[in-house]
């Protein structure tokens, strides 16, 4: 394994660890569910994808072991994590979780009122 | 050098896990806890990848894909339960 590949793997690992720390800070410090969901679904996905890419490179270049499950896992996480985030945010809105006090605009609220008026 | 970086990254991911567990316990609403659990599942995948690199074995790499699928199914089921009150609907009721 050449030194520059080692450097690349180390860089990807550091980026992944930093992004997962950013996720934790976002979940601790942001004010409401929607902003926290925004932080969690994006940075955690990118962080774990870069760590898995580093793992794949490590096993491929150190042991010559081409692990296709890791590539499948990277693609699967890339496809499903935003979908899961979208579903949680939607469920939170429809189960009546309030937005942050300082939010300025809520387009779905007007839509809900409009539908109620039309049904009555 | 790579070993040190691996241990440092494991430390960072574990610290982030602690923050997520705090949000899981304290989170004011149920969707907060579901978001935290989803992120914990994703972080657990990263921890498994790092530990399998530290132990220098590729026996645990199946667990990564399995855990990704399980975390996704759990989150989808939970959000459907929060939104509609049931997970598997019966067609005849509508």
């Amino acid at each position: 394994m050449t030194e520059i590949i080692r450097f690349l793997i180390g860089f990807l690992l550091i980026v992944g660890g930093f992004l997962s720390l950013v996720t934790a800070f976002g979940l601790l410090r942001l004010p409401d569910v929607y902003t926290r969901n925004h932080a969690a679904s994006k940075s955690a996905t990118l962080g774990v994808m870069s760590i898995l890419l580093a793992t794949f490179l490590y096993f491929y270049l150190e042991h010559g072991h081409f692990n296709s499950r890791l590539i499948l896992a990277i693609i699967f996480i890339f496809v499903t994590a935003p979908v899961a985030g979208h579903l949680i945010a939607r469920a939170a809105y429809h189960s009546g979780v309030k937005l942050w006090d300082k939010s300025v605009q809520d387009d779905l609220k007007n839509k809900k009122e409009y539908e109620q008026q039309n049904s009555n | 050098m790579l070993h040190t970086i691996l241990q440092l990254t494991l430390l960072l991911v574990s610290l982030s896990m602690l923050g997520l567990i705090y949000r899981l316990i304290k989170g004011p609403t149920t969707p907060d806890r579901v978001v935290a659990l989803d992120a914990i599942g994703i972080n657990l995948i990263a921890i498994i990848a790092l530990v399998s690199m530290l132990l220098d074995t590729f026996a645990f790499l199946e667990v990564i894909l399995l855990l990704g699928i399980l975390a996704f199914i759990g989150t989808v089921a939970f959000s459907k339960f929060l939104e509609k009150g049931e997970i598997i609907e019966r067609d005849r009721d509508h």
Side-chain angles (χ1 to χ4, degrees):
Chain A
M1 196 159 64
T2 55
E3 204 57 36
I4 191 156
I5 293 295
R6 261 175 213 271
F7 182 77
L8 182 66
I9 290 172
F11 176 73
L12 281 173
L13 284 175
I14 292 290
V15 165
F18 173 73
L19 280 173
S20 84
L21 208 60
V22 165
T23 310
F25 269 98
L27 253 75
L28 288 179
R29 288 191 55 94
L30 287 174
D32 70 348
V33 183
Y34 309 101
T35 48
R36 276 180 218 136
N37 184 27
H38 174 84
S41 60
K42 285 171 186 58
S43 57
T45 309
L46 189 60
V48 83
M49 275 168 68
S50 74
I51 286 181
L52 287 183
L53 190 62
T55 314
F56 173 77
L57 285 178
Y58 179 81
F59 283 118
Y60 186 47
L61 298 164
E62 178 98 334
H63 298 285
H65 173 77
F66 186 88
N67 200 302
S68 53
R69 291 177 206 88
L70 275 174
I71 298 179
L72 269 181
I74 292 173
I75 295 172
F76 188 82
I77 288 169
F78 182 65
V79 170
T80 59
V83 177
H86 167 78
L87 284 172
I88 298 170
R90 196 181 140 87
Y93 193 86
H94 288 301
S95 64
V97 178
K98 293 274 185 299
L99 270 72
W100 188 30
D101 304 333
K102 291 179 186 166
S103 315
V104 286
Q105 197 172 5
D106 186 1
D107 284 341
L108 264 175
K109 186 181 163 196
N110 295 331
K111 181 169 176 278
K112 218 182 232 175
E113 285 169 358
Y114 181 73
E115 278 174 355
Q116 276 174 355
Q117 278 172 4
N118 275 13
S119 66
N120 285 337
Chain B
M1 186 60 198
L2 197 57
H3 199 255
T4 319
I5 290 179
L6 275 172
Q7 282 172 339
L8 178 72
T9 314
L10 197 54
L11 182 72
L12 292 181
V13 177
S14 310
L15 280 178
S16 125
M17 205 78 153
L18 275 183
L20 298 181
I21 287 172
Y22 172 80
R23 179 54 68 196
L24 177 67
I25 292 169
K26 185 166 171 287
T29 61
T30 313
D32 260 319
R33 299 199 168 96
V34 182
V35 169
L37 265 182
D38 191 42
I40 283 178
I42 298 263
N43 261 2
L44 206 56
I45 293 173
I47 287 183
I48 291 168
L50 290 170
V51 166
S52 73
M53 266 192 283
L54 274 175
L55 297 179
D56 215 10
T57 167
F58 36 79
F60 302 133
L61 297 182
E62 281 87 356
V63 182
I64 291 172
L65 191 52
L66 186 69
L67 206 61
I69 294 170
L70 281 182
F72 177 62
I73 291 176
T75 310
V76 169
F78 229 118
S79 60
K80 202 168 174 192
F81 176 72
L82 285 175
E83 196 167 339
K84 297 182 178 161
E86 57 185 347
I87 297 174
I88 301 172
E89 297 159 59
R90 299 179 61 186
D91 286 339
R92 266 179 245 170
D93 291 348
H94 296 291

